[in-house]
């Protein structure tokens, strides 16, 4: 049995266009934020910062824009630092994406079928578009945890 698991799956919309950076070694990094509806009767959302590396980051920069729906799979990473102005400890949690599924069409937001891209070791090195899984209607209702078998 695993001693620990660090995995997150989020479905939401980009709150801004992805930003591209490059490391000193030439690796591409794409940073973006998504808003995930909390569900229920309130119109509230949670906001998550996401980072995608290398080929996955390049695909995010190329195909995603503010307002697009995505399914992000990844792991959580926490950064800690001392605030230079106040001297207080600060921290932030960020999602490092391993898979990103583009759920909307590229221009009008109409669903044209999902596109799944991955940085996972099981994916091919070219991060091919996945044609194996078709997501038809994704329900934005909260998950009933009692239905999970573990």
């Amino acid at each position: 049995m695993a001693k620990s698991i660090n995995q997150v799956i989020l479905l939401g919309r980009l709150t801004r266009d992805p930003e591209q950076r490059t490391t000193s070694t030439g690796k591409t990094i794409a940073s973006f934020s998504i808003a995930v509806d909390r569900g229920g009767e309130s119109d509230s959302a949670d906001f998550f910062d996401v980072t995608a590396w290398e080929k996955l980051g390049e695909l995010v920069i190329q195909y995603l824009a503010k307002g697009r729906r995505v399914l992000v799979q990844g792991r959580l990473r926490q950064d800690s630092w001392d605030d230079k102005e106040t001297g207080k400890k600060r921290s932030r949690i960020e999602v490092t994406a391993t898979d990103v599924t583009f759920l909307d069409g590229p221009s009008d937001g109409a669903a044209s079928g999902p596109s799944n891209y991955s940085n996972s070791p099981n994916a091919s090195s070219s991060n091919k578009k996945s044609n194996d899984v078709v997501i038809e209607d994704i329900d934005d209702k909260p998950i009933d945890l009692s239905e999970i078998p573990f």
Side-chain angles (χ1 to χ4, degrees):
M1 176 165 245
K3 293 184 179 186
S4 63
I5 296 175
N6 181 357
Q7 185 173 356
V8 63
I9 301 172
L10 301 167
L11 176 89
R13 291 192 182 274
L14 270 70
T15 61
R16 58 183 166 84
D17 289 340
E19 297 173 3
Q20 181 176 352
R21 299 186 318 267
T22 306
T23 67
S24 59
T25 59
K27 293 182 179 180
T28 299
I29 306 168
S31 298
F32 58 99
S33 294
I34 62 172
V36 178
D37 291 336
R38 289 185 184 166
E41 297 176 17
S42 66
D43 289 335
S44 58
D46 293 309
F47 297 88
F48 298 92
D49 292 325
V50 181
T51 301
W53 287 78
E54 301 184 65
K55 182 66 175 172
L56 181 59
E58 293 171 14
L59 293 167
V60 163
I61 293 293
Q62 184 176 357
Y63 292 109
L64 291 181
K66 180 179 177 177
R68 293 279 308 271
R69 284 186 345 133
V70 293
L71 179 72
V72 175
Q73 297 179 43
R75 63 185 180 281
L76 299 176
R77 185 175 64 86
Q78 182 175 18
D79 287 330
S80 299
W81 68 95
D82 292 325
D83 189 321
K84 292 179 182 179
E85 294 178 13
T86 64
K88 293 183 178 181
K89 293 248 184 225
R90 302 280 316 251
S91 67
R92 149 186 137 147
I93 295 178
E94 179 178 72
V95 176
T96 301
T98 54
D99 297 294
V100 177
T101 303
F102 309 159
L103 299 175
D104 290 335
S107 59
D108 60 359
S112 62
S115 301
N116 185 22
Y117 298 97
S118 173
N119 261 353
S120 67
N122 296 334
S124 69
S125 60
S126 64
N127 289 322
K128 295 179 185 176
K129 182 176 174 180
S130 172
N131 293 323
D132 297 338
V133 178
V134 176
I135 302 172
E136 302 231 343
D137 293 317
I138 296 179
D139 192 358
D140 289 338
K141 294 178 184 173
I143 296 171
D144 181 2
L145 297 178
S146 66
E147 295 179 2
I148 297 176
F150 50 89

